[in-house]
Amino acid sequence: MKLPGQDAIARQADEHLVTHRVKLPRKLVEHPIRQVGKRLSTALLVLLVTAVIVFADHDGYTDNSDGAVDLLDAFYYATVTLSTTGYGDITPVSDAARLTNIFVITPLRVLFLIILVGTTLEALTERTREEWRLNRWRSTLRDHTVVVGFGTKGRSAIQTVCATGLRKEQVVVVDPSGKAIEAATAHGYAGVIGDATRSDVLNRAEVYRAKQIIIATQRDDTAVLVTLTARQLNRGAKIVVAVREEENAPLLKQSGADAVITSASAAGRLLGLSVLSPAAGMVMEDLISQGSGLDLVERPVIKAEVGKNPRETDDLVVSVLRGHRVLGYDDPAVGGLELADRLITIVRATPATHVAPDARPLPRD
């Protein structure tokens, strides 16, 4: 395995200077600029309506400078009145003008102030609300799934685990790309922007309380560093890593990964199988696509199955997990099923078969 060169190290050092933050999913709302634009338009409309009302009854007002109130004076009066400045140089003198001020202009003044003050308060309290959401999120997050990398592999992994019953609120995505995190939050996942090889970034994702960690980075050397860091922070989590080169798989297992998937080799094997038998390739694609068709499911042995041969169970058993060993269904060492065994079975995908991923670490070689 090739270690990062000097350029990669310098690039990582520059990335360390970038402020990383947590982004939580939120409901779709209008863009802030559009919201402010709407409020500003409403305020200008209120100002225009007030000026028109004053000018329509300009005979009921007096101007200390020349006594007459024209259109410019009407806008001036509307501006100083709605902003509660009130210089007093233009005043209503007739009963009709005063009644209009009481029942029309005063409510418009209140509406104008609500628009301006509401916009200001919302801008000032947005940070407080966000901090409150983050603190509440951190206090309730337990046994969640951390996904490092929101590329094609990361998105597919999330879709698979969510198809088994995992809630979106229990998924935290870590990626150095702000656009990737925005895409993750748009799908309903929490996101952390930053370099996952740093422990402080993983701590923001609450990785030390995570149940399982999926590492799907673009580079194998990055995957090794993330695995080492994640395992140091969480000794009991199940860590599954995707790598490009098969020669790097043993190093990742030594770094603390429970399972290593070689993406290039797996895709190549599926291509080869599809060439030999397109139908077999379709079946394999169906098996690794959770939630539709046939699914691979891990489940415990029930009491009624204890002592039976794997072929005597109601489900189609592929393998038996016994201790730290994975045994084939026809392995003579299996004998009769034990209560502590777990079965890998093929079942028809239905809502009842959506089983959450097992928390127990996978057997290591």
Side-chain angles (χ1 to χ4, degrees):
M1 173 182 172
K2 297 181 180 180
L3 296 177
Q6 295 294 331
D7 294 339
I9 295 175
R11 185 167 56 253
Q12 288 183 357
D14 292 337
E15 291 176 353
H16 289 175
L17 300 177
V18 180
T19 302
H20 36 268
R21 62 187 186 278
V22 178
K23 295 188 67 175
L24 300 181
R26 60 178 60 192
K27 296 181 180 179
L28 294 178
V29 295
E30 288 185 309
H31 194 278
I33 295 180
R34 185 175 299 176
Q35 292 183 6
V36 173
K38 283 186 175 182
R39 296 187 183 189
L40 181 60
S41 300
T42 305
L44 292 176
L45 179 62
V46 171
L47 178 64
L48 177 62
V49 170
T50 304
V52 170
I53 293 174
V54 173
F55 182 72
D57 191 24
H58 62 276
D59 293 335
Y61 293 82
T62 181
D63 188 352
N64 293 338
S65 60
D66 56 7
V69 176
D70 56 14
L71 183 60
L72 178 60
D73 293 332
F75 274 97
Y76 168 75
Y77 176 79
T79 302
V80 298
T81 299
L82 293 180
S83 62
T84 68
T85 304
Y87 294 115
D89 48 352
I90 299 179
T91 57
V93 292
S94 68
D95 292 341
R98 291 177 176 177
L99 287 173
T100 301
N101 267 263
I102 294 173
F103 295 107
V104 179
I105 295 181
T106 297
L108 290 175
R109 181 189 299 117
V110 174
L111 176 61
F112 187 83
L113 292 177
I114 288 175
I115 294 173
L116 294 184
V117 174
T119 303
T120 304
L121 288 178
E122 183 172 353
L124 293 175
T125 57
E126 178 64 25
R127 180 63 179 174
T128 302
R129 289 203 303 266
E130 190 66 19
E131 288 293 335
W132 181 83
R133 290 185 68 208
L134 286 176
N135 291 333
R136 184 174 179 273
W137 171 75
R138 290 192 178 98
S139 64
T140 58
L141 196 62
R142 296 288 188 282
D143 295 332
H144 57 290
T145 298
V146 176
V147 180
V148 179
F150 198 65
T152 302
K153 292 179 291 186
R155 289 194 297 268
S156 299
I158 294 176
Q159 292 173 359
T160 299
V161 295
C162 286
T164 62
L166 185 69
R167 294 180 292 111
K168 290 184 176 182
E169 295 80 4
Q170 289 296 104
V171 176
V172 182
V173 177
V174 181
D175 198 287
S177 171
K179 291 184 178 179
I181 295 302
E182 288 179 2
T185 56
H187 283 80
Y189 314 121
V192 178
I193 304 175
D195 182 5
T197 61
R198 301 184 60 189
S199 58
D200 54 343
V201 174
L202 292 180
N203 280 330
R204 287 179 177 269
E206 306 293 318
V207 74
Y208 55 90
R209 295 190 297 196
K211 180 179 181 180
Q212 48 208 6
I213 303 169
I214 300 173
I215 301 175
T217 58
Q218 298 297 324
R219 295 168 56 97
D220 288 1
D221 50 6
T222 304
V224 172
L225 294 175
V226 175
T227 303
L228 285 169
T229 306
R231 180 56 73 195
Q232 183 180 16
L233 296 175
N234 191 329
R235 297 292 183 181
K238 179 191 297 182
I239 299 181
V240 181
V241 189
V243 294
R244 293 177 178 271
E245 303 296 334
E246 193 168 1
E247 62 183 10
N248 295 327
L251 180 58
L252 278 160
K253 290 189 176 182
Q254 293 176 7
S255 301
D258 295 299
V260 180
I261 306 300
T262 307
S263 56
S265 298
R269 294 188 187 100
L270 187 58
L271 284 173
L273 179 62
S274 299
V275 169
L276 297 175
S277 173
M282 292 176 59
V283 172
M284 286 301 301
E285 182 70 20
D286 186 14
L287 287 174
I288 62 177
S289 300
Q290 290 287 329
S292 62
L294 299 175
D295 281 354
L296 277 172
V297 175
E298 179 182 341
R299 67 170 180 83
V301 173
I302 61 177
K303 292 183 178 179
E305 296 171 335
V306 174
K308 291 183 178 181
N309 187 276
R311 297 179 179 180
E312 298 175 348
T313 62
D314 295 334
D315 295 333
L316 180 59
V317 177
V318 178
S319 299
V320 178
L321 302 182
R322 177 169 295 169
H324 294 283
R325 296 183 299 167
V326 180
L327 305 174
Y329 72 95
D330 57 349
D331 194 322
V334 174
L337 294 176
E338 301 176 2
L339 191 60
D341 291 342
R342 296 185 67 86
L343 305 179
I344 304 295
T345 63
I346 297 178
V347 299
R348 175 65 60 181
T350 62
T353 61
H354 286 182
V355 181
D358 184 24
R360 187 177 58 81
L362 293 175
R364 301 188 186 184
D365 292 342

